[in-house]
mmCIF file of all heavy atoms in Angstrom:
data_model
loop_
_atom_site.group_PDB
_atom_site.id
_atom_site.type_symbol
_atom_site.label_atom_id
_atom_site.label_comp_id
_atom_site.label_asym_id
_atom_site.label_seq_id
_atom_site.Cartn_x
_atom_site.Cartn_y
_atom_site.Cartn_z
ATOM 1 N N TYR A 20 123.843 -2.856 -18.671
ATOM 2 C CA TYR A 20 123.524 -1.903 -19.748
ATOM 3 C C TYR A 20 122.453 -0.943 -19.289
ATOM 4 O O TYR A 20 121.535 -1.299 -18.527
ATOM 5 C CB TYR A 20 123.027 -2.642 -21.001
ATOM 6 C CG TYR A 20 124.152 -3.373 -21.686
ATOM 7 C CD1 TYR A 20 124.587 -4.591 -21.260
ATOM 8 C CD2 TYR A 20 124.775 -2.810 -22.802
ATOM 9 C CE1 TYR A 20 125.628 -5.273 -21.856
ATOM 10 C CE2 TYR A 20 125.847 -3.462 -23.422
ATOM 11 C CZ TYR A 20 126.253 -4.693 -22.956
ATOM 12 O OH TYR A 20 127.299 -5.324 -23.567
ATOM 13 N N GLY A 21 122.529 0.284 -19.805
ATOM 14 C CA GLY A 21 121.524 1.283 -19.472
ATOM 15 C C GLY A 21 121.908 2.622 -20.068
ATOM 16 O O GLY A 21 122.623 2.695 -21.065
ATOM 17 N N GLU A 22 121.419 3.652 -19.409
ATOM 18 C CA GLU A 22 121.739 5.016 -19.785
ATOM 19 C C GLU A 22 122.496 5.672 -18.633
ATOM 20 O O GLU A 22 122.210 5.377 -17.454
ATOM 21 C CB GLU A 22 120.462 5.806 -20.099
ATOM 22 C CG GLU A 22 119.679 5.254 -21.253
ATOM 23 C CD GLU A 22 118.401 6.014 -21.474
ATOM 24 O OE1 GLU A 22 117.457 5.835 -20.668
ATOM 25 O OE2 GLU A 22 118.343 6.802 -22.434
ATOM 26 N N ALA A 23 123.427 6.574 -18.942
ATOM 27 C CA ALA A 23 124.204 7.271 -17.947
ATOM 28 C C ALA A 23 124.890 6.236 -17.023
ATOM 29 O O ALA A 23 125.633 5.429 -17.491
ATOM 30 C CB ALA A 23 123.353 8.275 -17.165
ATOM 31 N N ASP A 24 124.587 6.289 -15.734
ATOM 32 C CA ASP A 24 125.257 5.345 -14.812
ATOM 33 C C ASP A 24 124.292 4.377 -14.187
ATOM 34 O O ASP A 24 124.542 3.807 -13.125
ATOM 35 C CB ASP A 24 126.028 6.139 -13.749
ATOM 36 C CG ASP A 24 125.133 6.998 -12.904
ATOM 37 O OD1 ASP A 24 123.938 7.162 -13.245
ATOM 38 O OD2 ASP A 24 125.599 7.502 -11.872
ATOM 39 N N LYS A 25 123.110 4.162 -14.776
ATOM 40 C CA LYS A 25 122.101 3.289 -14.217
ATOM 41 C C LYS A 25 121.873 2.048 -15.081
ATOM 42 O O LYS A 25 121.150 2.081 -16.075
ATOM 43 C CB LYS A 25 120.788 4.044 -14.056
ATOM 44 C CG LYS A 25 119.580 3.181 -13.646
ATOM 45 C CD LYS A 25 119.782 2.416 -12.318
ATOM 46 C CE LYS A 25 118.563 1.671 -11.880
ATOM 47 N NZ LYS A 25 118.557 0.269 -12.229
ATOM 48 N N PRO A 26 122.559 0.944 -14.767
ATOM 49 C CA PRO A 26 122.305 -0.310 -15.515
ATOM 50 C C PRO A 26 120.963 -0.913 -15.107
ATOM 51 O O PRO A 26 120.652 -1.002 -13.922
ATOM 52 C CB PRO A 26 123.470 -1.203 -15.126
ATOM 53 C CG PRO A 26 123.920 -0.729 -13.820
ATOM 54 C CD PRO A 26 123.607 0.725 -13.741
ATOM 55 N N SER A 27 120.160 -1.308 -16.097
ATOM 56 C CA SER A 27 118.903 -1.985 -15.779
ATOM 57 C C SER A 27 118.769 -3.302 -16.493
ATOM 58 O O SER A 27 117.857 -4.069 -16.205
ATOM 59 C CB SER A 27 117.734 -1.059 -16.112
ATOM 60 O OG SER A 27 117.803 -0.637 -17.456
ATOM 61 N N PHE A 28 119.660 -3.592 -17.432
ATOM 62 C CA PHE A 28 119.680 -4.878 -18.113
ATOM 63 C C PHE A 28 121.079 -5.453 -17.950
ATOM 64 O O PHE A 28 122.079 -4.820 -18.300
ATOM 65 C CB PHE A 28 119.341 -4.723 -19.624
ATOM 66 C CG PHE A 28 119.514 -5.946 -20.421
ATOM 67 C CD1 PHE A 28 118.598 -7.001 -20.280
ATOM 68 C CD2 PHE A 28 120.545 -6.091 -21.323
ATOM 69 C CE1 PHE A 28 118.738 -8.178 -21.008
ATOM 70 C CE2 PHE A 28 120.691 -7.293 -22.069
ATOM 71 C CZ PHE A 28 119.780 -8.296 -21.906
ATOM 72 N N TRP A 29 121.142 -6.686 -17.442
ATOM 73 C CA TRP A 29 122.392 -7.314 -17.123
ATOM 74 C C TRP A 29 122.580 -8.638 -17.895
ATOM 75 O O TRP A 29 121.628 -9.407 -18.064
ATOM 76 C CB TRP A 29 122.482 -7.646 -15.642
ATOM 77 C CG TRP A 29 122.609 -6.452 -14.775
ATOM 78 C CD1 TRP A 29 121.584 -5.653 -14.303
ATOM 79 C CD2 TRP A 29 123.790 -5.873 -14.288
ATOM 80 N NE1 TRP A 29 122.088 -4.636 -13.542
ATOM 81 C CE2 TRP A 29 123.456 -4.733 -13.529
ATOM 82 C CE3 TRP A 29 125.165 -6.220 -14.425
ATOM 83 C CZ2 TRP A 29 124.407 -3.946 -12.884
ATOM 84 C CZ3 TRP A 29 126.115 -5.430 -13.783
ATOM 85 C CH2 TRP A 29 125.739 -4.297 -13.023
ATOM 86 N N ILE A 30 123.801 -8.890 -18.346
ATOM 87 C CA ILE A 30 124.180 -10.192 -18.867
ATOM 88 C C ILE A 30 125.254 -10.760 -17.954
ATOM 89 O O ILE A 30 126.090 -10.020 -17.437
ATOM 90 C CB ILE A 30 124.709 -10.103 -20.325
ATOM 91 C CG1 ILE A 30 125.893 -9.150 -20.457
ATOM 92 C CG2 ILE A 30 123.559 -9.665 -21.260
ATOM 93 C CD1 ILE A 30 126.570 -9.169 -21.800
ATOM 94 N N GLY A 31 125.221 -12.064 -17.704
ATOM 95 C CA GLY A 31 126.197 -12.610 -16.784
ATOM 96 C C GLY A 31 126.359 -14.100 -16.909
ATOM 97 O O GLY A 31 125.641 -14.779 -17.640
ATOM 98 N N LYS A 32 127.349 -14.609 -16.189
ATOM 99 C CA LYS A 32 127.607 -16.030 -16.154
ATOM 100 C C LYS A 32 126.482 -16.698 -15.363
ATOM 101 O O LYS A 32 126.266 -16.376 -14.187
ATOM 102 C CB LYS A 32 128.953 -16.304 -15.483
ATOM 103 C CG LYS A 32 130.152 -15.816 -16.262
ATOM 104 C CD LYS A 32 131.437 -16.155 -15.546
ATOM 105 C CE LYS A 32 132.642 -15.663 -16.369
ATOM 106 N NZ LYS A 32 133.895 -15.955 -15.654
ATOM 107 N N PRO A 33 125.760 -17.615 -15.974
ATOM 108 C CA PRO A 33 124.637 -18.274 -15.265
ATOM 109 C C PRO A 33 125.077 -19.505 -14.493
ATOM 110 O O PRO A 33 126.148 -20.059 -14.706
ATOM 111 C CB PRO A 33 123.731 -18.711 -16.433
ATOM 112 C CG PRO A 33 124.749 -19.057 -17.525
ATOM 113 C CD PRO A 33 125.841 -18.050 -17.357
ATOM 114 N N GLU A 34 124.197 -19.922 -13.597
ATOM 115 C CA GLU A 34 124.411 -21.189 -12.929
ATOM 116 C C GLU A 34 124.153 -22.314 -13.910
ATOM 117 O O GLU A 34 124.793 -23.347 -13.883
ATOM 118 C CB GLU A 34 123.477 -21.336 -11.733
ATOM 119 C CG GLU A 34 123.830 -20.360 -10.601
ATOM 120 C CD GLU A 34 122.880 -20.485 -9.437
ATOM 121 O OE1 GLU A 34 122.265 -21.567 -9.237
ATOM 122 O OE2 GLU A 34 122.702 -19.471 -8.726
ATOM 123 N N LYS A 35 123.171 -22.148 -14.817
ATOM 124 C CA LYS A 35 122.839 -23.143 -15.814
ATOM 125 C C LYS A 35 122.234 -22.416 -17.008
ATOM 126 O O LYS A 35 121.454 -21.496 -16.871
ATOM 127 C CB LYS A 35 121.790 -24.132 -15.234
ATOM 128 C CG LYS A 35 121.435 -25.228 -16.205
ATOM 129 C CD LYS A 35 120.415 -26.179 -15.591
ATOM 130 C CE LYS A 35 120.037 -27.248 -16.596
ATOM 131 N NZ LYS A 35 119.008 -28.150 -16.097
ATOM 132 N N LEU A 36 122.615 -22.855 -18.220
ATOM 133 C CA LEU A 36 122.114 -22.244 -19.431
ATOM 134 C C LEU A 36 121.570 -23.329 -20.353
ATOM 135 O O LEU A 36 122.237 -24.341 -20.535
ATOM 136 C CB LEU A 36 123.203 -21.450 -20.158
ATOM 137 C CG LEU A 36 122.790 -20.766 -21.437
ATOM 138 C CD1 LEU A 36 121.929 -19.512 -21.125
ATOM 139 C CD2 LEU A 36 124.008 -20.347 -22.235
ATOM 140 N N ASP A 37 120.361 -23.156 -20.889
ATOM 141 C CA ASP A 37 119.759 -24.142 -21.774
ATOM 142 C C ASP A 37 119.201 -23.421 -22.981
ATOM 143 O O ASP A 37 118.081 -22.957 -22.973
ATOM 144 C CB ASP A 37 118.653 -24.889 -21.027
ATOM 145 C CG ASP A 37 118.113 -26.054 -21.851
ATOM 146 O OD1 ASP A 37 118.253 -26.064 -23.075
ATOM 147 O OD2 ASP A 37 117.504 -26.952 -21.206
ATOM 148 N N LYS A 38 120.049 -23.309 -24.059
ATOM 149 C CA LYS A 38 119.606 -22.631 -25.301
ATOM 150 C C LYS A 38 118.307 -23.187 -25.855
ATOM 151 O O LYS A 38 117.439 -22.444 -26.289
ATOM 152 C CB LYS A 38 120.700 -22.688 -26.364
ATOM 153 C CG LYS A 38 121.904 -21.871 -26.032
ATOM 154 C CD LYS A 38 122.879 -21.939 -27.236
ATOM 155 C CE LYS A 38 124.185 -21.265 -26.944
ATOM 156 N NZ LYS A 38 125.092 -21.285 -28.095
ATOM 157 N N LYS A 39 118.186 -24.499 -25.835
ATOM 158 C CA LYS A 39 116.978 -25.141 -26.422
ATOM 159 C C LYS A 39 115.743 -24.751 -25.622
ATOM 160 O O LYS A 39 114.706 -24.403 -26.196
ATOM 161 C CB LYS A 39 117.149 -26.662 -26.387
ATOM 162 C CG LYS A 39 116.055 -27.409 -27.143
ATOM 163 C CD LYS A 39 116.364 -28.900 -27.161
ATOM 164 C CE LYS A 39 115.266 -29.666 -27.824
ATOM 165 N NZ LYS A 39 115.503 -31.113 -27.804
ATOM 166 N N ALA A 40 115.840 -24.730 -24.324
ATOM 167 C CA ALA A 40 114.698 -24.345 -23.498
ATOM 168 C C ALA A 40 114.374 -22.857 -23.664
ATOM 169 O O ALA A 40 113.194 -22.461 -23.729
ATOM 170 C CB ALA A 40 114.975 -24.615 -22.003
ATOM 171 N N ASN A 41 115.398 -22.020 -23.806
ATOM 172 C CA ASN A 41 115.145 -20.558 -24.022
ATOM 173 C C ASN A 41 114.316 -20.354 -25.241
ATOM 174 O O ASN A 41 113.395 -19.531 -25.236
ATOM 175 C CB ASN A 41 116.477 -19.855 -24.144
ATOM 176 C CG ASN A 41 117.178 -19.615 -22.808
ATOM 177 O OD1 ASN A 41 116.671 -19.969 -21.772
ATOM 178 N ND2 ASN A 41 118.334 -19.035 -22.838
ATOM 179 N N ARG A 42 114.618 -21.050 -26.334
ATOM 180 C CA ARG A 42 113.880 -20.841 -27.578
ATOM 181 C C ARG A 42 112.429 -21.366 -27.498
ATOM 182 O O ARG A 42 111.636 -21.072 -28.334
ATOM 183 C CB ARG A 42 114.615 -21.537 -28.755
ATOM 184 C CG ARG A 42 115.825 -20.697 -29.178
ATOM 185 C CD ARG A 42 116.248 -21.075 -30.574
ATOM 186 N NE ARG A 42 117.229 -20.120 -31.072
ATOM 187 C CZ ARG A 42 118.538 -20.227 -30.902
ATOM 188 N NH1 ARG A 42 119.033 -21.248 -30.211
ATOM 189 N NH2 ARG A 42 119.352 -19.324 -31.379
ATOM 190 N N LYS A 43 112.136 -22.134 -26.468
ATOM 191 C CA LYS A 43 110.799 -22.671 -26.337
ATOM 192 C C LYS A 43 110.021 -21.965 -25.242
ATOM 193 O O LYS A 43 109.088 -22.548 -24.659
ATOM 194 C CB LYS A 43 110.843 -24.170 -26.060
ATOM 195 C CG LYS A 43 111.331 -24.973 -27.230
ATOM 196 C CD LYS A 43 111.261 -26.455 -26.936
ATOM 197 C CE LYS A 43 111.667 -27.242 -28.191
ATOM 198 N NZ LYS A 43 111.518 -28.675 -27.978
ATOM 199 N N GLY A 44 110.365 -20.752 -24.919
ATOM 200 C CA GLY A 44 109.573 -20.018 -23.910
ATOM 201 C C GLY A 44 110.406 -19.484 -22.789
ATOM 202 O O GLY A 44 109.861 -19.165 -21.728
ATOM 203 N N GLY A 45 111.695 -19.339 -22.978
ATOM 204 C CA GLY A 45 112.558 -18.812 -21.933
ATOM 205 C C GLY A 45 112.395 -17.308 -21.760
ATOM 206 O O GLY A 45 111.343 -16.731 -21.908
ATOM 207 N N THR A 46 113.509 -16.686 -21.468
ATOM 208 C CA THR A 46 113.537 -15.247 -21.195
ATOM 209 C C THR A 46 113.064 -14.397 -22.371
ATOM 210 O O THR A 46 113.409 -14.677 -23.514
ATOM 211 C CB THR A 46 114.992 -14.838 -20.842
ATOM 212 O OG1 THR A 46 115.412 -15.649 -19.754
ATOM 213 C CG2 THR A 46 115.091 -13.396 -20.465
ATOM 214 N N HIS A 47 112.287 -13.370 -22.067
ATOM 215 C CA HIS A 47 111.892 -12.368 -23.054
ATOM 216 C C HIS A 47 112.105 -11.023 -22.449
ATOM 217 O O HIS A 47 111.549 -10.696 -21.397
ATOM 218 C CB HIS A 47 110.404 -12.567 -23.433
ATOM 219 C CG HIS A 47 109.896 -11.492 -24.356
ATOM 220 N ND1 HIS A 47 108.561 -11.281 -24.511
ATOM 221 C CD2 HIS A 47 110.503 -10.625 -25.153
ATOM 222 C CE1 HIS A 47 108.375 -10.269 -25.357
ATOM 223 N NE2 HIS A 47 109.529 -9.869 -25.782
ATOM 224 N N VAL A 48 112.928 -10.183 -23.108
ATOM 225 C CA VAL A 48 113.210 -8.837 -22.649
ATOM 226 C C VAL A 48 112.838 -7.880 -23.755
ATOM 227 O O VAL A 48 113.295 -8.034 -24.900
ATOM 228 C CB VAL A 48 114.710 -8.677 -22.277
ATOM 229 C CG1 VAL A 48 114.986 -7.257 -21.829
ATOM 230 C CG2 VAL A 48 115.112 -9.667 -21.211
ATOM 231 N N ALA A 49 112.017 -6.869 -23.436
ATOM 232 C CA ALA A 49 111.639 -5.840 -24.393
ATOM 233 C C ALA A 49 112.319 -4.524 -23.993
ATOM 234 O O ALA A 49 112.137 -4.070 -22.849
ATOM 235 C CB ALA A 49 110.148 -5.669 -24.437
ATOM 236 N N PHE A 50 113.073 -3.930 -24.912
ATOM 237 C CA PHE A 50 113.772 -2.677 -24.651
ATOM 238 C C PHE A 50 112.934 -1.490 -25.189
ATOM 239 O O PHE A 50 112.354 -1.601 -26.281
ATOM 240 C CB PHE A 50 115.131 -2.661 -25.348
ATOM 241 C CG PHE A 50 116.040 -3.748 -24.855
ATOM 242 C CD1 PHE A 50 116.198 -4.912 -25.579
ATOM 243 C CD2 PHE A 50 116.728 -3.603 -23.673
ATOM 244 C CE1 PHE A 50 117.042 -5.928 -25.113
ATOM 245 C CE2 PHE A 50 117.552 -4.620 -23.198
ATOM 246 C CZ PHE A 50 117.726 -5.777 -23.943
ATOM 247 N N VAL A 51 112.868 -0.422 -24.441
ATOM 248 C CA VAL A 51 112.164 0.789 -24.870
ATOM 249 C C VAL A 51 112.948 1.443 -25.991
ATOM 250 O O VAL A 51 114.154 1.621 -25.894
ATOM 251 C CB VAL A 51 112.053 1.794 -23.679
ATOM 252 C CG1 VAL A 51 111.443 3.106 -24.131
ATOM 253 C CG2 VAL A 51 111.190 1.196 -22.567
ATOM 254 N N ALA A 52 112.233 1.824 -27.038
ATOM 255 C CA ALA A 52 112.816 2.566 -28.147
ATOM 256 C C ALA A 52 112.136 3.917 -28.255
ATOM 257 O O ALA A 52 110.909 4.028 -28.011
ATOM 258 C CB ALA A 52 112.637 1.787 -29.456
ATOM 259 N N LYS A 53 112.895 4.916 -28.604
ATOM 260 C CA LYS A 53 112.347 6.266 -28.713
ATOM 261 C C LYS A 53 111.644 6.550 -30.034
ATOM 262 O O LYS A 53 110.946 7.519 -30.169
ATOM 263 C CB LYS A 53 113.445 7.283 -28.445
ATOM 264 C CG LYS A 53 113.985 7.189 -27.008
ATOM 265 C CD LYS A 53 115.084 8.217 -26.781
ATOM 266 C CE LYS A 53 115.495 8.189 -25.333
ATOM 267 N NZ LYS A 53 116.554 7.250 -25.002
ATOM 268 N N SER A 54 111.910 5.658 -30.998
ATOM 269 C CA SER A 54 111.292 5.862 -32.329
ATOM 270 C C SER A 54 111.217 4.546 -33.080
ATOM 271 O O SER A 54 111.919 3.599 -32.755
ATOM 272 C CB SER A 54 112.116 6.877 -33.148
ATOM 273 O OG SER A 54 113.349 6.315 -33.513
ATOM 274 N N ARG A 55 110.375 4.531 -34.113
ATOM 275 C CA ARG A 55 110.329 3.353 -34.974
ATOM 276 C C ARG A 55 111.632 3.196 -35.761
ATOM 277 O O ARG A 55 112.061 2.070 -36.007
ATOM 278 C CB ARG A 55 109.127 3.472 -35.901
ATOM 279 C CG ARG A 55 107.811 3.351 -35.124
ATOM 280 C CD ARG A 55 106.580 3.462 -36.012
ATOM 281 N NE ARG A 55 105.376 3.292 -35.204
ATOM 282 C CZ ARG A 55 104.181 3.089 -35.715
ATOM 283 N NH1 ARG A 55 104.016 3.057 -37.022
ATOM 284 N NH2 ARG A 55 103.166 2.926 -34.894
ATOM 285 N N LYS A 56 112.237 4.294 -36.121
ATOM 286 C CA LYS A 56 113.518 4.234 -36.826
ATOM 287 C C LYS A 56 114.571 3.526 -35.947
ATOM 288 O O LYS A 56 115.360 2.742 -36.451
ATOM 289 C CB LYS A 56 113.970 5.661 -37.171
ATOM 290 C CG LYS A 56 115.234 5.735 -37.971
ATOM 291 C CD LYS A 56 115.558 7.183 -38.322
ATOM 292 C CE LYS A 56 116.885 7.270 -39.056
ATOM 293 N NZ LYS A 56 117.249 8.645 -39.397
ATOM 294 N N ALA A 57 114.574 3.821 -34.638
ATOM 295 C CA ALA A 57 115.497 3.152 -33.726
ATOM 296 C C ALA A 57 115.207 1.657 -33.656
ATOM 297 O O ALA A 57 116.157 0.848 -33.543
ATOM 298 C CB ALA A 57 115.430 3.777 -32.320
ATOM 299 N N ILE A 58 113.951 1.256 -33.711
ATOM 300 C CA ILE A 58 113.580 -0.149 -33.682
ATOM 301 C C ILE A 58 114.113 -0.834 -34.947
ATOM 302 O O ILE A 58 114.675 -1.934 -34.874
ATOM 303 C CB ILE A 58 112.048 -0.330 -33.568
ATOM 304 C CG1 ILE A 58 111.599 0.165 -32.167
ATOM 305 C CG2 ILE A 58 111.650 -1.776 -33.770
ATOM 306 C CD1 ILE A 58 110.097 0.321 -32.032
ATOM 307 N N ASP A 59 113.900 -0.211 -36.078
ATOM 308 C CA ASP A 59 114.448 -0.775 -37.334
ATOM 309 C C ASP A 59 115.950 -0.947 -37.234
ATOM 310 O O ASP A 59 116.509 -2.007 -37.657
ATOM 311 C CB ASP A 59 114.101 0.171 -38.514
ATOM 312 C CG ASP A 59 112.597 0.297 -38.744
ATOM 313 O OD1 ASP A 59 111.820 -0.544 -38.206
ATOM 314 O OD2 ASP A 59 112.185 1.223 -39.482
ATOM 315 N N ALA A 60 116.685 0.041 -36.703
ATOM 316 C CA ALA A 60 118.144 -0.029 -36.581
ATOM 317 C C ALA A 60 118.555 -1.104 -35.583
ATOM 318 O O ALA A 60 119.546 -1.796 -35.786
ATOM 319 C CB ALA A 60 118.685 1.329 -36.192
ATOM 320 N N PHE A 61 117.818 -1.226 -34.480
ATOM 321 C CA PHE A 61 118.072 -2.279 -33.480
ATOM 322 C C PHE A 61 118.015 -3.647 -34.150
ATOM 323 O O PHE A 61 118.890 -4.491 -33.994
ATOM 324 C CB PHE A 61 117.033 -2.199 -32.378
ATOM 325 C CG PHE A 61 116.822 -3.491 -31.604
ATOM 326 C CD1 PHE A 61 117.666 -3.839 -30.558
ATOM 327 C CD2 PHE A 61 115.785 -4.339 -31.932
ATOM 328 C CE1 PHE A 61 117.492 -5.035 -29.841
ATOM 329 C CE2 PHE A 61 115.586 -5.538 -31.212
ATOM 330 C CZ PHE A 61 116.449 -5.882 -30.188
ATOM 331 N N TYR A 62 116.955 -3.917 -34.929
ATOM 332 C CA TYR A 62 116.737 -5.189 -35.548
ATOM 333 C C TYR A 62 117.894 -5.490 -36.535
ATOM 334 O O TYR A 62 118.492 -6.582 -36.502
ATOM 335 C CB TYR A 62 115.410 -5.207 -36.273
ATOM 336 C CG TYR A 62 115.120 -6.499 -37.007
ATOM 337 C CD1 TYR A 62 114.635 -7.600 -36.333
ATOM 338 C CD2 TYR A 62 115.318 -6.598 -38.371
ATOM 339 C CE1 TYR A 62 114.379 -8.770 -36.996
ATOM 340 C CE2 TYR A 62 115.069 -7.785 -39.064
ATOM 341 C CZ TYR A 62 114.583 -8.868 -38.355
ATOM 342 O OH TYR A 62 114.318 -10.048 -39.012
ATOM 343 N N LYS A 63 118.234 -4.507 -37.375
ATOM 344 C CA LYS A 63 119.327 -4.719 -38.330
ATOM 345 C C LYS A 63 120.662 -4.974 -37.596
ATOM 346 O O LYS A 63 121.423 -5.869 -37.998
ATOM 347 C CB LYS A 63 119.466 -3.496 -39.234
ATOM 348 C CG LYS A 63 118.373 -3.367 -40.237
ATOM 349 C CD LYS A 63 118.529 -2.107 -41.095
ATOM 350 C CE LYS A 63 117.305 -1.906 -41.968
ATOM 351 N NZ LYS A 63 117.333 -0.614 -42.646
ATOM 352 N N ALA A 64 120.938 -4.218 -36.520
ATOM 353 C CA ALA A 64 122.180 -4.392 -35.781
ATOM 354 C C ALA A 64 122.203 -5.754 -35.085
ATOM 355 O O ALA A 64 123.236 -6.442 -35.059
ATOM 356 C CB ALA A 64 122.343 -3.283 -34.760
ATOM 357 N N ALA A 65 121.090 -6.182 -34.529
ATOM 358 C CA ALA A 65 121.031 -7.459 -33.828
ATOM 359 C C ALA A 65 121.254 -8.626 -34.809
ATOM 360 O O ALA A 65 122.050 -9.521 -34.512
ATOM 361 C CB ALA A 65 119.654 -7.626 -33.119
#
């Protein structure tokens, strides 16, 4: 995922996935938003 033709955030098949561990301090990714309105829309869409 990204803008134009430059992906900078990837989702993929993992070697191992642990949902329980993720919720206790796993991956955290913060996406840049251009406005507070976009953040509100991101949250609702998610």
